[in-house]
Amino acid sequence: MMNRTHPIRGLLIYSFYSVRSNLQIALLLTCALAVALLITGNTWVYNFFVLSAIGIPPYLIMISMGAKNQLQWEKYQASMPLRRKNMVAAFYLSVLSAALVGLVLCGVVLGVSFIFHEYMLHHVTETAFGQPAYVFGMALLMFALLAPIGSTKFGETRGEMFFTVCLGGALGIMLLISWLGSRAEMSAAVISLLQLIIATVAFVVSYHITSKIYADTDF
Amino acid sequence: MNTILEVQNLTKTYEKSDFSLNNVSFSIPSGSIMGFVGENGSGKTTTIGCILNTLIKDSGTVKIFGKEVADDSTDIRNDIGVVYDTNCFPEHLTPANISSAMRQIYSKWDNELFKEHLRKFKLPEKQKIKAFSRGMTMKLGVSVALAHHPKLLILDEATSGLDPIVRDDILDTFLDFVQDESHSIFLSSHITSDLEKVADYITFIHDGSIILSEKKDDLIYNYGVMRCKAAQFEEIDRADMLAYRKHDYQIDVLVSDRKAVEKKYRDVVIDNISIEEIMLMLVKGEKQ
């Protein structure tokens, strides 16, 4: 009896179960903010909703990577019938899929909110069009910095410090792009798009770097 | 008899550590259990890591089922069950969650067999692992390792820290497993009584080097310890000694052919020796 295997899917299932209870809380918060947004059309609620929907799930997955028995779990994974690059791909895909689900949720809720609150459309297009893209980009960029560092022996022992450094680093890069974009008189939408492209490229490059690190890692 | 695992001249060094694995070689025939004995830090876990490719070896070869193990040897690892000495699974998972993920990873994952082991070990299927005791966690590890029909079990101190009842349950499971002649177990442990109970072969490792690898029955029935006084010790041919330990009023001498030595030195008391005593003599005694 041979099953058809999907190792990456198996690891994604693990990843999901590891953060499921925290994800449920985050989802409840996001749903509450979505309802509040649909009722009030408040721009502050809008900001928190975007942050909650797109930012928190990838953040929870990143935190779970620093869980106390994560090293043992990685060692166990390395003894299973999967390649080391599968392990890396599963890490990256879990963060990417969490952020993408948030982005889709955001799109749906914002679309409905425009029906009830026309001025929201004005607010979003004029001042915060790029916010979902910004938060999405931040999540990718932060993970792009965190994953390769966390994969080294150096990062393994300083997890919390690097978490903060990578968060600051990602924020710094996004602000720098924003500042350079403003100086070049780009619109907010173009700047957001630029930030998203740079974050995506960093995410892909980071995946290849982490794969190379994993190929020579002792678990 | 086929060789299921063959390790040849395996070496491994670590940066910032004096420890190294030095030309480790041994093999395990199918249908047998090999006990891998050594004190803490002797290199047992490093050897297992190199066998499984979780540690990158410096040199040497590791062949499992006749094929060399590499990162892309997923077919080989499909036939290996691994149990480590700690809980390796994320604590928020339940055994049922583990099963749903493992069926995506192991081509021969058998959910019914997994449930059968859970029932046998009285493990709740839907309770989170963080609520499990150490014994339950180790039983879960054994259940997972057996549920994909492996041919080789690799166990790294899987019975350490467990009470005698749980250890006995797990050891009985291992004995059932090797009833099939195509199955083998590589069992690392420093609990020598466990190995005396189940192992067919014993390999001793000390300071990263293999110091002895023999059939268990040969060790128990052929090896012995001479209890000598100082004058008797001086008369013993050094070629007959493997190692000796000096005590206050007696010198113990480890010999590999008890019957021959009994005939040769009729006035010296020669006792049977346990695996633990052989380990102590080899590790703490002086060598010839």
Side-chain angles (χ1 to χ4, degrees), chain A residues 3 6 69 80 84 218-219, chain B residues 12 53 56 89 104 107:
Chain A
N3 309 323
H6 305 277
N69 69 341
M80 294 198 295
R84 290 175 178 219
D218 281 341
F219 292 102
Chain B
K12 167 75 183 169
N53 201 43
I56 311 290
F89 303 109
Q104 304 288 339
S107 61

Side-chain angles (χ1 to χ4, degrees), chain B residues 233-250:
Chain B
F233 178 73
E234 292 306 322
E235 286 173 12
I236 296 171
D237 185 348
R238 295 299 185 253
D240 292 331
M241 297 182 190
L242 287 177
Y244 62 89
R245 280 186 85 186
K246 289 186 176 177
H247 302 285
D248 289 346
Y249 303 104
Q250 180 181 290

Side-chain angles (χ1 to χ4, degrees), chain B residues 11-268:
Chain B
T11 61
K12 167 75 183 169
T13 51
Y14 292 98
E15 280 177 39
K16 298 176 186 171
S17 169
D18 293 336
F19 175 80
S20 63
L21 214 56
N22 309 310
N23 288 313
V24 166
S25 300
F26 59 87
S27 59
I28 307 178
S30 60
S32 62
I33 299 180
M34 175 173 278
F36 195 45
V37 199
E39 77 273 28
N40 290 335
S42 58
K44 297 189 295 295
T45 300
T46 300
T47 304
I48 287 175
C50 292
I51 290 171
L52 291 168
N53 201 43
T54 57
L55 296 175
I56 311 290
K57 62 182 186 286
D58 294 345
S59 63
T61 56
V62 175
K63 285 185 180 174
I64 301 180
F65 317 121
K67 294 179 194 166
E68 187 139 7
V69 181
D71 182 40
D72 58 356
S73 311
T74 53
D75 53 337
I76 295 176
R77 285 199 287 269
N78 245 315
D79 286 328
I80 303 175
V82 182
V83 184
Y84 289 110
D85 61 339
T86 50
N87 170 38
C88 293
F89 303 109
E91 293 181 331
H92 291 288
L93 270 66
T94 65
N97 297 153
I98 290 176
S99 181
S100 59
M102 285 298 187
R103 75 176 57 157
Q104 304 288 339
I105 296 170
Y106 284 99
S107 61
K108 288 183 280 183
W109 181 260
D110 185 339
N111 196 37
E112 286 310 308
L113 181 62
F114 181 61
K115 283 182 177 176
E116 197 181 308
H117 283 296
L118 293 181
R119 279 193 294 273
K120 180 181 155 194
F121 288 133
K122 299 185 177 69
L123 295 175
E125 202 185 332
K126 292 189 175 159
Q127 189 176 339
K128 285 189 178 177
I129 295 168
K130 67 179 174 187
F132 280 20
S133 66
R134 173 164 168 76
M136 291 166 82
T137 307
M138 297 318 293
K139 285 174 174 177
L140 175 65
V142 173
S143 304
V144 172
L146 290 170
H148 56 88
H149 300 283
K151 289 180 185 156
L152 172 65
L153 271 186
I154 295 182
L155 312 157
D156 187 4
E157 304 279 4
T159 56
S160 65
L162 300 177
D163 67 63
I165 309 292
V166 175
R167 282 209 334 258
D168 198 59
D169 283 351
I170 290 179
L171 292 176
D172 283 344
T173 305
F174 296 160
L175 287 172
D176 285 345
F177 177 77
V178 286
Q179 290 302 308
D180 185 329
E181 280 292 307
S182 65
H183 291 172
S184 293
I185 297 179
F186 184 57
L187 171 60
S188 137
S189 180
H190 53 249
I191 305 173
T192 52
S193 60
D194 287 354
L195 301 179
E196 283 191 30
K197 183 177 175 188
V198 299
D200 301 299
Y201 296 84
I202 304 277
T203 295
F204 290 91
I205 186 167
H206 174 58
D207 276 346
S209 300
I210 300 295
I211 52 175
L212 190 69
S213 189
E214 294 268 0
K215 278 187 172 176
K216 182 189 74 181
D217 289 347
D218 288 348
L219 289 174
I220 290 174
Y221 297 116
N222 295 341
Y223 278 59
V225 59
M226 300 171 77
R227 313 291 186 191
C228 311
K229 290 177 182 152
Q232 291 172 320
F233 178 73
E234 292 306 322
E235 286 173 12
I236 296 171
D237 185 348
R238 295 299 185 253
D240 292 331
M241 297 182 190
L242 287 177
Y244 62 89
R245 280 186 85 186
K246 289 186 176 177
H247 302 285
D248 289 346
Y249 303 104
Q250 180 181 290
I251 302 167
D252 291 342
V253 178
L254 179 68
V255 294
S256 61
D257 190 343
R258 197 169 68 216
K259 284 178 185 156
V261 169
E262 267 170 353
K263 284 180 189 164
K264 195 170 173 183
Y265 308 99
R266 292 185 181 276
D267 56 339
V268 179

Side-chain angles (χ1 to χ4, degrees), chain A residues 71-82:
Chain A
L71 291 179
Q72 278 92 354
W73 170 228
E74 283 188 1
K75 184 169 141 182
Y76 196 85
Q77 282 182 68
S79 73
M80 294 198 295
L82 42 90

Side-chain angles (χ1 to χ4, degrees), chain B residues 264-282:
Chain B
K264 195 170 173 183
Y265 308 99
R266 292 185 181 276
D267 56 339
V268 179
V269 174
I270 304 174
D271 289 334
N272 292 341
I273 191 164
S274 64
I275 303 291
E276 183 167 326
E277 238 182 319
I278 295 175
M279 182 171 123
L280 286 172
M281 292 283 284
L282 290 173

